[in-house]
Amino acid sequence: MSRKVIIAGNWKMNKTASEGVELVNALKPLVADVCPDCCDVVVCPPFTTLSAVVEAARGSNIKVGAQNVHWAENGAFTGEISAAMLKESGVEYVIIGHSERRQYFGETDMTVNQRLKAALAAGLKPIVCVGELLADREGGNTEKVLATQLEGGLAGLSKDEMAQVVIAYEPVWAIGTGKTATPDVAELTHNFIRGTVRDMFGDVIADGLRIQYGGSMKAGNAAELVAQANIDGGLIGGAALKADSFSELIHNALKK
Ligand code: PGA
């Protein structure tokens, strides 16, 4: 079954509004040839850069996502951003449960689940991140950890809601380290993730689910990763911060 590739750049805490506009303006002509029916190209800037990037990307084939969302509709949550705020800014996607949020900001499967439900209710398309630590992999616990993250994070979703969700598999030991999971290892793990989603939501949802790989994906390894049967794109950190490296990665990934 062929699924549309999705390549998303996670800018993390990089790029002011003017720097973000510069990056998107440089990226637009480089990805103008990417067929919108074959690939979703997404950039995920920090909150303060979102509106300017939405404006700069208007009319192009670049879509915009945020990096987090709060679960409440509004209220006394100093420093947080609601799904309605993102929606009104013109944002289409939102990353939820990135490992850096889990590691540094106390994100749990329960809060991932709450954020996910709020994002879906507002009509945002969530990119839900899962992934194991090096100790989990070395201890033979990868599948157990991923199953727990998926079962907790996706709990209580309807099939219609799950049809809107993208999963990003990001082994924590591969993020920003230059170590990539080999295509074989990544494929086995993606296959496990799809199987878990199949058990939870059935064949139609599992077969349609897009699962991105993330963790030191770059122009040089994108093609062989995305060529795997269960790898449907990438969530890219470092290599998404420059227009030429991000564009080269996208074009290589589509050569699969
Ligand atoms: P990286 O980051 O590509 O720099 O490893 C990926 C991510 O954290 O989403």
Side-chain angles (χ1 to χ4, degrees):
M1 136 145 224
S2 94
R3 291 172 289 265
K4 187 174 174 184
V5 170
I6 173 166
I7 310 272
N10 173 11
W11 293 2
K12 308 192 178 182
M13 198 173 73
N14 295 290
K15 306 291 178 190
T16 63
S18 58
E19 290 166 347
V21 168
E22 203 179 312
L23 174 51
V24 166
N25 283 338
L27 188 61
K28 277 196 286 190
L30 299 179
V31 298
D33 62 329
V34 173
C35 129
D37 292 334
C38 335
C39 179
D40 288 320
V41 175
V42 186
V43 295
C44 302
F47 288 135
T48 51
T49 301
L50 281 173
S51 293
V53 163
V54 165
E55 218 36 65
R58 204 177 290 286
S60 76
N61 55 358
I62 300 171
K63 298 170 175 182
V64 183
Q67 299 173 19
N68 191 19
V69 61
H70 196 261
W71 52 82
E73 276 178 35
N74 51 50
F77 300 101
T78 303
E80 295 296 324
I81 298 288
S82 74
M85 292 169 186
L86 295 179
K87 192 72 187 164
E88 199 175 297
S89 311
V91 166
E92 196 174 330
Y93 286 87
V94 59
I95 299 170
I96 296 176
H98 189 276
S99 67
E100 285 149 17
R101 303 243 23 118
R102 294 177 189 259
Q103 203 173 347
Y104 306 131
F105 303 102
E107 190 82 75
T108 63
D109 296 331
M110 197 184 93
T111 56
V112 166
N113 187 248
Q114 289 175 299
R115 293 182 204 281
L116 176 56
K117 286 175 175 163
L120 287 165
L124 295 166
K125 296 177 185 154
I127 297 176
V128 176
C129 301
V130 295
E132 81 285 3
L133 303 171
L134 184 59
D136 299 326
R137 180 149 295 264
E138 287 178 346
N141 293 321
T142 299
E143 294 191 351
K144 198 168 121 216
V145 167
L146 292 174
T148 302
Q149 290 176 346
L150 290 166
E151 281 157 17
L154 306 177
L157 259 58
S158 68
K159 288 188 186 185
D160 283 353
E161 287 175 324
M162 190 58 203
Q164 303 301 314
V165 174
V166 173
I167 302 276
Y169 167 59
E170 300 205 308
V172 180
W173 46 271
I175 296 178
T177 58
K179 285 187 204 159
T180 321
T182 61
D184 288 353
V185 166
E187 168 61 14
L188 275 176
T189 315
H190 279 233
N191 190 42
F192 172 78
I193 291 170
R194 196 176 303 286
T196 305
V197 169
R198 192 177 304 281
D199 292 344
M200 294 176 73
F201 296 96
D203 287 340
V204 175
I205 297 298
D207 289 338
L209 174 71
R210 296 189 290 174
I211 309 176
Q212 300 174 302
Y213 171 79
S216 300
M217 197 195 261
K218 40 193 178 297
N221 58 22
E224 50 175 356
L225 284 161
V226 177
Q228 304 300 313
N230 285 292
I231 303 184
D232 309 304
L235 182 56
I236 323 298
L241 293 175
K242 290 206 174 105
D244 52 357
S245 60
F246 193 45
S247 160
E248 196 187 346
L249 185 157
I250 293 165
H251 285 93
N252 287 354
L254 295 176
K255 280 184 199 150
K256 65 169 180 161

